Amino acid sequence: MTQLEQQENQVIRELVLPEAPPPPVYVPQPEGPAYSAPAFVPEPAPDTADRAPADPAQADTRPQPGNQSGNQSGNQPRQAPTKITYALTLNRSPVVGNRLRLQGVYPETRLGFTRPQGWTVESAKAIIRYQHSPSLLADRSHLTVRVNDTSVGSVPLDRPDSQIGQATFNIPANLIQDSNELSMLAEQQTSDTCSNPTDPTLWTEILPDSKLVFEFIPKATTLNFSQYPYPFLDEFGLEPNQLAYLRPQSLSADWLTAVSRFQASAGRLSDRQILDTRLVTNVDQISATEGLVVIGTPADQPILSRLAMGYSVQNGQLLDGSRQPLPNDVGLLAVATTRNQENRDIPVLVATGNSAEGVLKAVQYLVQAPDRQLATGQAVTVSNVAQVPTPEPRSWSGYLPTQNEFQLRELTTLDGQPYSDITVHGTNAPIIEVGFRALPDDRLLQGSTMTLHYSHSPQLNSNNSAVEVMIDGVTIGSKRLTGNGQDNTFNVNLPPHLIQPDSTLGVHFILQPEQPGICGLTADQQLWGTLHADTRFNLNRENVVQVPNLELLKAGFPLASPQDLSTTAIVLPNNPTDTDVETLLSFSERMGRVSRSDSVKLTAYLANAVPTEVRDQQNLVAIGARERFPYPEVFEASSSGLSLATGFFRQWEQSQAQTLPDREGVIKAIPSPWSRDRVLLALTGQTDEGLREVQDLFNRDPLFSQLRGDTVLISRNQATPSPYDASGYNLEFLQQTQPRQIRNTTLLRRIVLFLQDNWWLLLLGMVLLALLLYSFSQLFMNRVA
């Protein structure tokens, strides 16, 4: 046998496959109150002004469970409900907020919405509530609604004295796709001859309680890994994705590592959607809107013996088609269905094996994008998992390139696509926004420039037309639009202090017609401005950062450097509680959301089994309430800043107090005691209630986006705060320790940076040098005399 054949035999391991069971079929079972968030209300009767909720007895059109067999696999789907009504209010979009204003003669606004994958849309309509300026001419002002560039109706803007109007637009069901765009265009005139586009009385406001109403039938889906992550995660869903992890009989470091990696991957796949997760101990606790995730060996998860996943279980071991146990280093992925205590179908995702090695291998296959794309069928046995190379620490997708000179086309959109030429039209042209996110450990210096390459239409009034460049809404440069408008350039200095890891570059074309007396939509749309993709940037920067700084954690730094999370380890108490594990899930999900890579290499340990090399070389995230915290020295009185002690004692410098009780959550970052370039992040509190507040901070964007300082105290001031509003919580930020500066530069640049940070030393040195020269000159003159 040749060496090549031996290598192939090591890679290719053929297992005897069992007979495939009937494919599991899952029918979503949305429930009225549980399925719709408070912001979504049932559609009122057409003649009802107030949007009162519909009668629950009328809203619940789901059929009652019939006499079904007790098949745990759920291969016999129930009859689908007739029709379900769902209302999506426009204020769910951050673009709308309290109002959506249309300003100008021909303004337009666009909103995106999605169609869940489990829907078969039967009908849809847009109910638009609006208010407009009383100065508008009723016979010349209209509001038009489009869906995916298809007009679905118009309404005249003829309400007297700015009274609120309401219009219903029927949307053909065949127009609704997975991703959709709702456009609202207005023609607003205040003059019979020519309206001034800068007239402030040209306005119409779309009220935030406007909504889209859908009637749909839940769609039966055959579970298959080729559709993963659906139905467990729906990228087009309008409600939060919901996962429930089945808690094994005992919690080990291997299980915690597998769960943290899967949760980080789920956070990435959920992207900008909310993901609700929790631990359960049995299937009866699962609701109809959740997906069940079972991770562990058959010995740890007895439910595996009752699931129809093709591979049978005997004596706590998985058997292949020849009734032989699967090798310990082989993992198994499977999808199935089960039923909860309400006899509802629940989709089940299984990652198992006959050993912890096999379980982790199955999870790793699912979290690695190149491998996950190859998965198909109801069950996948994983014999080998490719080792995805760890990316460079400063190779971050969606951020500025590491080279100092680059073009706009080298930046990427939110969808991961490179920027191309962008053109806007009209006197109310929208601002072109480009993500201009500096790497968290970048320090920009004076001398950074941008060479804007742009073009514009020739029919412009050069006295009133200009192009502006902004960083986060702050104008940093502008230039009048003159000449024929072709291939113009404009050099702009980039202020170093404005460019942050969450910055946005804006280019605003202010377009005014050459002859203001010419009116009409055609004349307005002849005005255009184009930002070209070869716009150049030349940055002057250094790789310098100060830690600890929780503001950097908003971008994941330093825990997500590199982006596969391979330098971060989570440490839990020796006997973790469910609250500890749920905190691990919240943290892992957030780290998945703020990072992008083809793999996840996060690890988890119990406090008494952290390897010395991990403690000394990695960033550590310690989780646990005060009495069981893995590293209690973080909150001892001898440490700097806030100290927590038993008996609900708190100490700050020389002040000491005892609270009754202390339900606040605490997040504290300190330099790692075992490594100069690493940090120790503590997620803790005096009680489990405090840990739940920490979970909320990582789960909710309005809270997480406020992080700063090195210590955060979190508490709630409402019993059930809204996930979209931070006002239900109290956050206190503290700066307790002196930040440590980490530099990755040459010795000469370190000296220059040191003098920039300590400029007073340069002045002191100049004074001392002058005194020294004066002393020498006096000695010389005395000797000559």
Side-chain angles (χ1 to χ4, degrees):
M1 181 180 295
T2 66
Q3 182 178 2
L4 179 60
E5 291 175 340
Q6 293 177 354
Q7 293 176 353
E8 289 179 347
N9 289 337
Q10 291 176 358
V11 175
I12 302 174
R13 302 173 60 182
E14 185 174 354
L15 302 174
V16 179
L17 299 179
E19 182 179 352
V25 178
Y26 169 66
V27 180
Q29 298 289 333
E31 299 179 358
Y35 189 63
S36 297
F40 302 93
V41 294
E43 165 63 359
D47 57 348
T48 302
D50 297 331
R51 304 185 323 280
D55 186 354
Q58 298 177 0
D60 188 4
T61 58
R62 292 174 282 106
Q64 300 301 319
N67 294 326
Q68 301 284 344
S69 64
N71 184 6
Q72 284 287 338
S73 64
N75 293 328
Q76 298 178 8
R78 300 178 180 85
Q79 182 180 0
T82 53
K83 285 185 182 180
I84 296 176
T85 301
Y86 187 96
L88 171 64
T89 53
L90 300 191
N91 61 4
R92 284 290 298 273
S93 171
V95 177
V96 178
N98 295 324
R99 63 169 176 79
L100 184 62
R101 178 180 286 266
L102 300 173
Q103 185 76 47
V105 180
Y106 302 104
E108 178 182 2
T109 187
R110 297 171 181 263
L111 299 174
F113 67 95
T114 58
R115 177 191 59 190
Q117 297 183 61
W119 286 14
T120 299
V121 176
E122 296 292 309
S123 66
K125 56 186 174 182
I127 302 177
I128 305 300
R129 288 167 54 83
Y130 59 92
Q131 190 176 17
H132 61 80
S133 169
S135 301
L136 298 184
L137 299 179
D139 58 338
R140 301 195 60 194
S141 302
H142 301 82
L143 176 66
T144 301
V145 175
R146 295 177 181 173
V147 174
N148 297 331
D149 290 331
T150 300
S151 296
V152 295
S154 298
V155 61
L157 299 177
D158 57 358
R159 305 294 294 177
D161 302 325
S162 298
Q163 294 180 2
I164 294 177
Q166 176 173 309
T168 300
F169 303 90
N170 292 318
I171 304 173
N174 59 0
L175 284 182
I176 307 298
Q177 306 169 8
D178 289 339
S179 295
N180 305 276
E181 186 178 68
L182 173 69
S183 304
M184 286 171 282
L185 305 86
E187 179 181 1
Q188 303 179 138
Q189 302 287 351
T190 56
S191 172
D192 290 326
T193 56
C194 185
S195 300
N196 183 0
T198 61
D199 187 350
T201 63
L202 294 172
W203 62 267
T204 297
E205 289 187 356
I206 308 299
L207 301 186
D209 55 355
S210 301
K211 55 191 172 182
L212 298 172
V213 180
F214 305 93
E215 286 189 343
F216 70 94
I217 296 176
K219 180 168 44 178
T221 301
T222 301
L223 299 186
N224 192 301
F225 275 106
S226 60
Q227 301 181 74
Y228 183 82
Y230 183 78
F232 305 96
L233 301 172
D234 187 356
E235 63 178 320
F236 302 112
L238 297 175
E239 289 290 322
N241 290 316
Q242 300 181 53
L243 292 179
Y245 290 88
L246 187 62
R247 191 188 196 278
Q249 297 177 350
S250 62
L251 298 177
S252 64
D254 293 321
W255 186 85
L256 294 171
T257 296
V259 166
S260 63
R261 292 184 180 181
F262 182 88
Q263 183 71 2
S265 174
R268 290 178 179 175
L269 294 174
S270 296
D271 199 10
R272 293 177 292 275
Q273 289 179 298
I274 296 177
L275 174 60
D276 293 335
T277 56
R278 63 188 182 112
L279 284 182
V280 296
T281 56
N282 58 71
V283 177
D284 292 340
Q285 299 173 346
I286 307 297
S287 69
T289 58
E290 290 180 308
L292 179 62
V293 180
V294 181
I295 298 177
T297 64
D300 293 331
Q301 302 284 15
I303 190 179
L304 295 178
S305 62
R306 304 193 300 271
L307 295 178
M309 55 183 183
Y311 290 80
S312 60
V313 177
Q314 183 177 353
N315 297 327
Q317 286 192 314
L318 292 163
L319 305 181
D320 63 10
S322 63
R323 307 294 296 177
Q324 297 297 316
L326 290 180
N328 287 339
D329 61 344
V330 172
L332 172 65
L333 293 168
V335 287
T337 60
T338 187
R339 288 179 181 171
N340 61 6
Q341 63 179 356
E342 298 177 352
N343 203 28
R344 297 294 187 90
D345 287 337
I346 305 296
V348 183
L349 174 65
V350 175
T352 185
N354 285 333
S355 69
E357 179 186 1
V359 174
L360 187 58
K361 186 174 291 185
V363 171
Q364 194 65 28
Y365 185 90
L366 203 58
V367 302
Q368 295 187 168
D371 295 330
R372 183 174 63 244
Q373 295 171 355
L374 300 178
T376 188
Q378 180 184 348
V380 178
T381 54
V382 182
S383 302
N384 297 284
V385 178
Q387 291 295 325
V388 177
T390 295
E392 293 295 325
R394 305 187 72 245
S395 177
W396 288 39
S397 176
Y399 288 77
L400 298 182
T402 54
Q403 63 270 24
N404 289 333
E405 295 185 8
F406 56 90
Q407 294 184 354
L408 176 63
R409 59 169 51 93
E410 298 177 55
L411 304 180
T412 56
T413 64
L414 292 176
D415 298 330
Q417 301 300 319
Y419 281 98
S420 57
D421 293 352
I422 304 175
T423 300
V424 292
H425 293 84
T427 55
N428 290 281
I431 299 176
I432 300 173
E433 294 187 342
V434 175
F436 203 70
R437 306 165 65 190
L439 290 169
D441 57 348
D442 266 348
R443 177 175 176 178
L444 270 72
L445 307 175
Q446 294 291 341
S448 299
T449 61
M450 165 187 177
T451 302
L452 180 70
H453 183 197
Y454 65 97
S455 300
H456 60 83
S457 58
Q459 307 93 349
L460 293 179
N461 186 335
S462 59
N463 292 326
N464 298 326
S465 302
V467 57
E468 292 183 350
V469 179
M470 298 171 286
I471 297 289
D472 294 332
V474 179
T475 301
I476 60 176
S478 62
K479 182 182 179 182
R480 288 200 310 174
L481 301 180
T482 59
N484 59 9
Q486 299 300 316
D487 293 329
N488 294 295
T489 58
F490 174 33
N491 292 325
V492 183
N493 290 322
L494 300 174
H497 66 281
L498 288 181
I499 302 176
Q500 304 296 327
D502 56 353
S503 292
T504 300
L505 174 71
V507 178
H508 186 199
F509 285 95
I510 303 174
L511 308 173
Q512 297 297 330
E514 184 176 14
Q515 299 180 6
I518 300 179
C519 299
L521 181 60
T522 303
D524 185 78
Q525 293 302 296
Q526 285 180 352
L527 308 178
W528 57 266
T530 298
L531 171 65
H532 293 289
D534 58 354
T535 294
R536 300 187 304 276
F537 300 91
N538 189 349
L539 303 184
N540 185 17
R541 54 184 170 177
E542 294 291 348
N543 183 207
V544 179
V545 67
Q546 289 187 334
V547 295
N549 182 1
L550 291 178
E551 188 172 1
L552 298 175
L553 188 62
K554 295 188 296 185
F557 188 86
L559 307 181
S561 179
Q563 291 274 277
D564 62 358
L565 308 174
S566 57
T567 59
T568 297
I570 306 174
V571 183
L572 275 74
N574 295 326
N575 296 307
T577 65
D578 288 357
T579 306
D580 297 331
V581 178
E582 288 174 345
T583 306
L584 172 143
L585 293 174
S586 298
F587 171 80
S588 301
E589 176 195 334
R590 178 57 64 175
M591 289 301 99
R593 289 180 182 274
V594 298
S595 61
R596 290 291 182 272
S597 71
D598 288 337
S599 182
V600 180
K601 299 181 180 180
L602 196 62
T603 54
Y605 300 91
L606 299 179
N608 61 354
V610 180
T612 303
E613 61 273 12
V614 171
R615 185 197 65 182
D616 295 343
Q617 299 176 12
Q618 296 196 11
N619 299 299
L620 300 181
V621 181
I623 297 175
R626 173 65 180 83
E627 294 182 354
R628 58 179 185 270
F629 193 70
Y631 299 107
E633 60 267 25
V634 172
F635 294 107
E636 290 179 353
S638 58
S639 64
S640 60
L642 176 70
S643 299
L644 301 181
T646 58
F648 298 109
F649 271 102
R650 285 187 174 196
Q651 181 170 335
W652 173 266
E653 297 180 347
Q654 302 302 318
S655 301
Q656 189 179 79
Q658 190 174 14
T659 62
L660 182 67
D662 184 353
R663 294 191 174 94
E664 282 192 330
V666 179
I667 300 178
K668 181 177 181 179
I670 65 172
S672 174
W674 307 281
S675 175
R676 172 175 174 78
D677 297 339
R678 302 300 183 188
V679 298
L680 171 59
L681 182 67
L683 310 181
T684 184
Q686 289 282 18
T687 62
D688 283 349
E689 286 82 356
L691 281 179
R692 294 188 184 97
E693 307 295 354
V694 172
Q695 296 171 22
D696 286 348
L697 185 139
F698 282 103
N699 290 336
R700 305 189 175 190
D701 292 340
L703 298 178
F704 186 74
S705 62
Q706 298 183 45
L707 281 179
R708 62 178 184 273
D710 61 19
T711 302
V712 182
L713 306 179
I714 315 112
S715 61
R716 65 180 62 192
N717 53 45
Q718 299 176 12
T720 55
S722 168
Y724 308 103
D725 187 5
S727 62
Y729 294 84
N730 296 323
L731 300 181
E732 297 183 23
F733 304 97
L734 307 175
Q735 184 67 49
Q736 304 182 60
T737 59
Q738 183 66 28
R740 177 187 300 173
Q741 193 173 74
I742 300 176
R743 294 185 174 98
N744 186 17
T745 58
T746 62
L747 178 60
L748 178 60
R749 286 303 306 170
R750 291 186 182 185
I751 295 175
V752 172
L753 291 173
F754 177 79
L755 292 177
Q756 288 179 349
D757 295 335
N758 303 274
W759 56 269
W760 57 272
L761 291 177
L762 187 60
L763 296 179
L764 180 60
M766 295 175 62
V767 172
L768 293 177
L769 181 61
L771 292 176
L772 185 62
L773 292 176
Y774 176 75
S775 300
F776 284 155
S777 65
Q778 291 298 314
L779 289 175
F780 178 75
M781 292 177 66
N782 290 338
R783 183 179 293 255
V784 171

